[in-house]
């Protein structure tokens, strides 16, 4: 059973998401929070697997709350709730420790699938969000780290896989691109995260752009 905490200052959003998620056989909403500070407190008390975190909330915003919630050991995964108007927050949310993004107008199946993906330890970066992330790196200009086509410690194939992950491709899409088994891609991704000491695919995307392994438009 995947245990979920919903943090949003709009009661209708919390109620709607609770109803949709509790209707799933493998998901249970164990608590709600009306602002970021309460989200931090409730996450510590209830120890959910996933926190649905709104960005704009009173007292403490979702970015600050995400940073605190994901800081500890065995921290829950954070799925940031956003709208197209809030895409400017994408990069900062990733840096804060979010594992993915979900649009507030998502369908019931998209909501449930997103929770399952994040709970499983994967990252959820929809193509539209990935494009905005790439655009943000383009706006920021040159990479912060050294330029190079291979990250230190990675094999040529692992660097290739990291580049495709950074472009928002799923394991299945990468497998098709490289003509290998999907399990092989999963193994490569696991080794990449281990070698680079990264938490998940989301951090891998940020790493790839910040180090210049992948360049916007490249």
């Amino acid at each position: 059973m995947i245990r979920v905490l919903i943090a949003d200052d709009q009661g209708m959003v919390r109620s709607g998401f609770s109803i949709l998620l509790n209707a799933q056989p493998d998901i249970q909403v164990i608590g709600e929070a009306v602002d970021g500070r309460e989200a931090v407190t409730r996450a510590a008390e209830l120890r959910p697997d996933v926190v649905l975190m709104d960005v704009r909330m009173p007292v403490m915003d979702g970015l600050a709350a995400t940073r605190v919630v994901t800081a500890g050991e065995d921290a829950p995964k954070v799925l940031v709730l956003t709208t197209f108007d809030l895409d400017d927050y994408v990069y900062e949310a990733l840096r804060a420790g979010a594992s993915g993004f979900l649009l507030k107008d998502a369908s019931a199946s998209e909501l449930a699938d997103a929770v399952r993906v994040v709970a499983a330890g994967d990252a959820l970066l929809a193509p539209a969000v990935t494009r905005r992330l790439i655009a943000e790196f383009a706006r920021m200009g040159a990479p912060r780290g050294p330029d190079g086509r291979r990250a230190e410690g990675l094999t040529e194939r692992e660097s290739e896989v990291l580049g495709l992950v950074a472009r928002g491709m799923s394991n299945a899409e990468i497998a098709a691109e490289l003509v290998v088994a999907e399990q092989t891609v999963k193994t490569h991704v696991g080794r990449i995260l281990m070698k680079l000491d990264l938490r998940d695919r989301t951090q891998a995307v940020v790493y790839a752009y910040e180090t210049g392994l992948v360049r916007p438009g490249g």
Side-chain angles (χ1 to χ4, degrees), residues 62-90:
L63 298 181
T66 294
R67 196 170 289 112
V68 176
V69 167
T70 60
E73 293 185 9
D74 299 323
K77 305 295 183 181
V78 173
L79 187 57
V80 172
L81 301 173
T82 185
T83 68
F84 286 116
D85 292 333
L86 295 179
D87 275 342
D88 287 344
Y89 291 101
V90 167

Side-chain angles (χ1 to χ4, degrees), residues 96-166:
S99 292
F101 296 85
L102 183 70
L103 297 178
K104 283 193 174 181
D105 61 358
S107 67
S109 61
E110 289 172 336
L111 172 63
D113 287 344
V115 168
R116 293 185 184 106
V117 167
V118 171
D122 210 339
L124 187 74
L125 283 177
V129 173
T130 303
R131 284 195 295 271
R132 291 302 296 265
L133 176 62
I134 293 172
E136 176 66 10
F137 278 108
R139 185 189 68 77
M140 290 167 59
R144 300 179 185 178
D147 186 16
R149 298 303 301 171
R150 183 185 300 184
E152 184 176 357
L154 299 187
T155 66
E156 184 175 351
R157 176 46 65 92
E158 288 168 349
S159 293
E160 187 176 13
V161 169
L162 176 56
L164 296 176
V165 168

